[in-house]
Amino acid sequence: MHIGVIGAGIVGLASAYQLLRAGHEVTVIDAAPAPGVGTSFANGGQLSYGYVSPLAAPGVLSQLPSLLFSRTGPLRIKPSLDPDFWRWSLAFVKHCNAAANASSTLRLLSLGLHSREVMLEFLAQESASFEYRLSGKLVVYRDAGKLAAAERSLELANGLGYAQRRVDAATCAALEPALGKIAAALAGGIHTPGEGTGDCQMLCKELARIIAANPRGKLMFEREVTGFDVQGGAVRALRTRDGDVAVDACVVANGLAAMPLLRAVGEPVSMYPLKGYSLTYRGAPSDARPQVSVTDADNKVVYASLGEHLRVAGIADLVGYDYRIAAHRIAALRTLSTGLFPSLRGIPAPLEWTGMRPSTPHGRPILGRADTLGNLWLNVGHGALGFTLSMGAARAIADAIDGKRPAVDLAGFARLAA
């Protein structure tokens, strides 16, 4: 089959790669001028397969007053008149309970484990350079209660095949010496040795290179898909301002931009931008490049070494489609990063970036066949986990298209899944 893939971020390119490996002819179409220049450009750089608990959690609702009125907390909400905001928010509130959180976490852990397996397979089969490193992940907590709550989820993750353990503050400092200066303030952490780090945009470029080198692969940039030519209950072509692209099937994998396309064919999805920020310290001193990827759970900030660079990322702003870089958010990241790594003060200013994570209310991506059109497939809504889940989601979609049973149950990732 000739399959059109809409989106040249990490999710779309991973989808195209898996479809090519399955023997299909694939055309990737994106409005951007190059691969991975949207949400994939400068994300946290962590492949956190075993740490995927969604934002919708029981404790969030009690924090709403501070989330609505604080400018400086790690999570900030700015109400909007946008109907999509209210639809998303009401569904989000519905999932802020222990049962829903546990259900979503279990499904995400299963997809994460599959994604790790597919990523390792990719690394074994392809010569791809994207600063990948099996670094392990350390999530540190200052609050003993939050650490205890995190420890309770260990049994769930370990039961699925992850290897996670609670460690004390001294072990945190031993695993990552940079934490020694704040060890006295730490209650401890959760260590997962099987996690990795990498540069997501570099992987996008590598996937694009592999796809372009395949005689059945094609990349079309600066070509926005404006709609579908639908005949007989199926997509026959992708409409663009530069002409139609005939297809036998289509995978929609362009994040937030998928919403108007899907709505036009009676397939609305609930996503909203969860704005994040990052700093990239290029040529960071060796003592400012952590040996393991570190997540500061209290401040919701991650630190990852990418070759000679340090990526610092975090913060979640639910403020609508505001693509401006908020100076006070960047300042907060700089303060945290230079506080942990003082040597960063002596190097050139970091690259500042903000991106819109396409987030669903329940925190799970939407994967599977559309309800309205038999040859239209969805691979959207990965939120902050696009890099982590991309390979597994792509393989699951490719398997489903070929009539195979995916390694993960796609019923838990359906558009209207509870």
Side-chain angles (χ1 to χ4, degrees):
M1 283 195 296
H2 177 211
I3 302 176
V5 176
I6 305 174
I10 186 60
V11 174
L13 290 167
S15 299
Y17 171 81
Q18 294 296 335
L19 289 165
L20 279 173
R21 286 194 56 81
H24 298 285
E25 180 184 351
V26 179
T27 298
V28 179
I29 307 179
D30 198 294
V37 297
T39 307
S40 300
F41 182 74
N43 64 21
Q46 293 191 339
L47 291 162
S48 300
Y49 306 108
Y51 202 82
V52 293
S53 182
L55 182 61
V60 172
L61 297 183
S62 64
Q63 302 172 32
L64 273 180
S66 62
L67 299 178
L68 289 169
F69 298 109
S70 173
R71 294 179 72 249
T72 58
L75 171 62
R76 184 168 68 97
I77 299 175
K78 180 181 178 182
S80 167
L81 295 177
D82 182 356
D84 286 336
F85 169 80
W86 291 106
R87 278 190 288 267
W88 188 95
S89 298
L90 290 172
F92 177 81
V93 168
K94 174 185 172 184
H95 286 88
C96 286
N97 61 77
N101 181 268
S103 176
S104 290
T105 300
L106 181 61
R107 291 164 175 172
L108 288 167
L109 284 169
S110 297
L111 180 56
L113 187 63
H114 182 48
S115 197
R116 185 176 71 181
E117 293 169 350
V118 179
M119 175 63 86
L120 292 175
E121 178 185 295
F122 168 80
L123 291 167
Q125 293 174 339
E126 303 288 353
S127 177
S129 176
F130 60 103
E131 303 294 1
Y132 173 79
R133 191 163 62 94
L134 185 63
S135 59
K137 176 169 176 147
L138 180 62
V139 185
V140 297
Y141 295 84
R142 293 170 179 81
D143 185 294
K146 292 180 180 177
L147 175 58
E151 186 179 17
R152 286 193 289 271
S153 69
L154 289 181
E155 185 177 347
L156 181 64
N158 289 339
L160 288 173
Y162 292 95
Q164 294 184 335
R165 62 184 178 124
R166 175 175 174 164
V167 294
D168 59 20
T171 305
C172 289
L175 289 166
E176 178 43 61
L179 296 174
K181 59 180 69 69
I182 64 167
L186 297 179
I190 302 295
H191 181 229
T192 310
E195 311 287 62
T197 53
D199 187 312
C200 185
Q201 195 209 16
M202 286 182 67
L203 178 56
C204 287
K205 291 179 178 179
E206 290 288 78
L207 286 167
R209 174 185 61 79
I210 293 168
I211 292 165
N214 191 306
R216 290 178 284 103
K218 185 176 182 180
L219 300 164
M220 302 175 71
F221 292 108
E222 297 184 293
R223 194 156 177 180
E224 181 183 3
V225 175
T226 57
F228 304 106
D229 177 14
V230 177
Q231 300 177 32
V235 175
R236 299 305 178 192
L238 309 181
R239 288 180 172 156
T240 80
R241 293 183 178 86
D242 299 313
D244 291 357
V245 178
V247 295
D248 300 310
C250 173
V251 176
V252 179
N254 59 336
L256 292 165
M259 292 177 66
L261 290 174
L262 295 172
R263 189 172 286 150
V265 292
E267 196 75 22
V269 295
S270 182
M271 292 189 290
Y272 207 70
L274 197 61
K275 186 178 183 181
Y277 300 82
S278 77
L279 301 173
T280 304
Y281 289 91
R282 291 160 290 191
S286 58
D287 63 351
R289 284 180 263 141
Q291 298 174 16
V292 299
S293 72
V294 175
T295 295
D296 179 344
D298 299 271
N299 292 301
K300 292 184 168 56
V301 173
V302 303
Y303 301 87
S305 296
L306 304 177
E308 296 182 349
H309 312 313
L310 172 68
R311 177 70 50 76
V312 184
I315 302 175
D317 281 351
L318 203 68
V319 294
Y321 293 84
D322 182 353
Y323 291 88
R324 296 171 296 180
I325 294 179
H328 71 286
R329 292 309 224 174
I330 288 295
L333 283 183
R334 293 192 72 164
T335 298
L336 288 168
S337 56
T338 54
L340 187 58
F341 303 108
S343 61
L344 293 175
R345 297 190 182 102
I347 67 172
L351 172 69
E352 302 173 356
W353 179 80
T354 186
M356 299 293 193
R357 311 173 183 117
S359 302
T360 60
H362 43 55
R364 304 189 302 272
I366 300 168
L367 311 175
R369 190 196 302 267
D371 294 330
T372 55
L373 300 169
N375 65 343
L376 182 65
W377 297 82
L378 281 59
N379 191 359
V380 296
H382 300 72
L385 297 171
F387 189 24
T388 293
L389 301 179
S390 58
M391 284 293 183
R395 174 66 63 80
I397 290 294
D399 284 346
I401 288 175
D402 281 344
K404 300 177 182 177
R405 184 174 183 174
V408 294
D409 184 2
L410 294 187
F413 299 91
R415 181 169 61 88
L416 300 177

